[in-house]
């Protein structure tokens, strides 16, 4: 964007009129992002009725977006609005660049992973409501949330610091040449193509495909439920478990002089083996439920 440039004599030159509304809009966007997510986190903490796995995932997502509004967006605004970041942060430009890019990838990945987890959580809750309370996402939320942040940290901090350090070393060696001495004043993202491809697939495209699939399934389930409410009937396929093929045993008392107990089988013993196999198989059963308003 480069709406204004800075010079070394602490003066601001070449200010365009577009800089003022863009700066005000960016500042308001940062403030709204921070305050909105603080309110969400406060509501989840203060309301005991919201202390469930679903709202814990929402709180994790809100904290990730809070980091975006607090750290990533202000630095992005500064680096985007100026064309001479080296003058702004002469001594700490390398550290701030690596820190900004790492936090950008870290918070964005945590936000996207949180959205994906919320989608999976809602998918199980809507398509399998009876099984949802015992599902892994519902019962083990205290394991899922740390895994979201650990995976986000793994794909952000080590690669960015590694490739950023290598890129800085390459720049220092190239700046020995006078023709390129004035070029490297901007805070650029590490330009390793393999890392860019990896982070794009892992933190964006794969979660995107998962969210598209689960929300399509959620929409289909909601549409089926709506049609059932309108018609007054709902069809449900139930898996009916077969009767146990283990013989029922009972104790039979025999005369006292023998003083012993014998186990006898109460089930038919001459039943063909094919019938037993048929009973062991699971048979689907269509159930029609009538909905009373």
């Amino acid at each position: 964007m480069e709406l204004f440039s800075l010079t070394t004599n602490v003066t601001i030159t070449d200010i365009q009129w577009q800089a003022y509304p863009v700066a005000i809009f960016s500042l308001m966007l940062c403030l709204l992002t921070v305050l909105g997510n603080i309110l969400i986190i406060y509501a989840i903490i203060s309301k005991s009725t919201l202390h469930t796995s679903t709202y814990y995932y929402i709180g994790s997502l809100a904290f990730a977006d809070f980091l975006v509004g607090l750290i990533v967006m202000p630095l992005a605004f500064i680096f985007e609005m100026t064309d001479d970041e080296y003058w702004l942060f002469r001594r700490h430009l390398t550290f701030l660049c690596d820190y900004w890019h790492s936090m950008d990838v870290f918070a964005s990945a945590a936000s996207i992973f949180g959205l994906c987890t919320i989608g999976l959580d809602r998918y199980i809750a809507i398509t399998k409501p009876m099984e949802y309370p015992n599902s892994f996402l519902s019962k083990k939320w205290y394991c899922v949330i740390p895994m979201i942040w650990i995976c986000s940290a793994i794909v952000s901090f080590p690669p960015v610091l590694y490739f950023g350090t290598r890129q800085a070393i390459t720049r220092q060696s190239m700046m020995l040449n006078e023709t390129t001495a004035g070029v490297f004043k901007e805070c650029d993202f590490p330009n390793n193509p393999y890392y860019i491809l990896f982070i794009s697939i892992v933190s964006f495209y794969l979660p995107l495909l998962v969210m598209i699939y689960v929300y399509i399934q959620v929409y289909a389930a909601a549409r089926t439920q709506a049609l059932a409410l309108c018609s007054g009937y709902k069809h449900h396929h139930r898996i009916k478990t077969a009767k146990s093929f283990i013989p029922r045993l009972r104790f039979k008392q025999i005369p006292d002089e023998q003083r012993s107990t014998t186990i006898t089988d109460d089930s038919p013993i001459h039943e063909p083996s094919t019938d037993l196999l048929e009973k062991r198989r699971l048979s689907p059963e269509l159930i029609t439920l009538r909905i009373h308003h």
Side-chain angles (χ1 to χ4, degrees):
M1 188 177 298
E2 299 179 5
L3 296 181
F4 61 86
S5 60
L6 301 176
T7 60
T8 56
N9 58 357
V10 200
T11 59
I12 301 177
T13 61
D14 192 21
I15 302 178
Q16 302 180 12
W17 67 269
Q18 297 95 336
Y20 297 105
V22 170
I24 295 174
F25 175 76
S26 301
L27 181 61
M28 293 298 297
L29 190 61
C30 293
L31 291 177
L32 289 176
T33 302
V34 171
L35 293 178
N37 288 286
I38 287 177
L39 291 178
I40 293 175
I41 296 172
Y42 174 76
I44 295 175
I45 294 175
S46 60
K47 298 293 183 180
S48 59
T49 55
L50 302 182
H51 292 177
T52 60
S53 59
T54 300
Y55 290 101
Y56 290 149
Y57 293 137
I58 295 176
S60 176
L61 174 63
F63 184 72
D65 294 336
F66 168 77
L67 293 179
V68 173
L70 183 67
I71 300 174
V72 178
M73 293 175 64
L75 289 176
F77 165 71
I78 294 174
F79 290 146
E80 190 69 22
M81 294 286 289
T82 63
D83 61 350
D84 195 356
E85 297 90 347
Y86 182 74
W87 179 85
L88 285 173
F89 311 106
R90 182 182 298 272
R91 297 182 179 180
H92 307 291
L93 179 62
T94 303
F95 169 76
L96 283 177
C97 283
D98 293 340
Y99 177 72
W100 174 47
H101 292 312
S102 299
M103 287 300 300
D104 186 10
V105 177
F106 174 65
S108 301
S111 179
I112 294 174
F113 291 160
L115 285 172
C116 185
T117 305
I118 292 173
L120 291 172
D121 180 76
R122 293 296 85 203
Y123 167 72
I124 298 175
I126 293 176
T127 59
K128 301 178 181 179
M130 301 301 294
E131 301 176 6
Y132 172 73
N134 295 323
S135 64
F136 180 80
L137 289 177
S138 178
K139 297 184 66 175
K140 303 295 183 180
W141 60 266
Y142 51 85
C143 297
V144 177
I145 293 178
M147 286 302 301
I148 291 174
W149 290 94
I150 291 173
C151 293
S152 302
I154 290 174
V155 301
S156 60
F157 287 102
V160 170
L161 294 177
Y162 173 74
F163 292 116
T165 303
R166 292 188 59 183
Q167 187 168 306
I169 294 173
T170 304
R171 286 183 171 183
Q172 290 178 0
S173 62
M174 294 180 65
M175 286 182 66
L176 297 177
N177 187 359
E178 295 182 357
T179 58
T180 60
V183 176
F184 304 110
K185 294 185 178 181
E186 297 183 356
C187 185
D188 296 329
F189 190 81
N191 57 0
N192 186 278
Y194 299 104
Y195 174 65
I196 295 175
L197 179 63
F198 169 77
I199 197 65
S200 300
I201 294 175
V202 171
S203 65
F204 181 75
Y205 290 107
L206 286 181
L208 176 64
L209 294 176
V210 172
M211 286 188 285
I212 290 175
Y213 172 77
V214 297
Y215 281 115
I216 288 176
Q217 296 298 319
V218 168
Y219 172 77
R223 188 170 181 271
T224 303
Q225 185 71 14
L227 293 175
L229 291 174
C230 293
S231 63
Y233 293 93
K234 183 178 180 181
H235 300 287
H236 179 70
H237 289 277
R238 186 184 69 176
I239 300 298
K240 184 178 70 173
T241 57
K243 296 181 179 180
S244 176
F245 63 93
I246 302 176
R248 294 192 303 272
L249 304 178
R250 65 181 179 85
F251 292 99
K252 180 179 179 180
Q253 188 72 25
I254 61 176
D256 293 339
E257 58 271 10
Q258 296 185 8
R259 297 180 182 274
S260 63
T261 305
T262 308
I263 300 176
T264 61
D265 191 349
D266 197 33
S267 61
I269 60 175
H270 298 292
E271 190 173 8
S273 58
T274 55
D275 295 337
L276 286 174
L277 293 177
E278 289 294 329
K279 284 186 177 182
R280 293 176 61 179
R281 295 176 182 174
L282 297 179
S283 57
E285 182 180 357
L286 180 63
I287 301 176
T288 300
L289 302 177
R290 184 175 180 181
I291 301 174
H292 297 274
H293 296 280

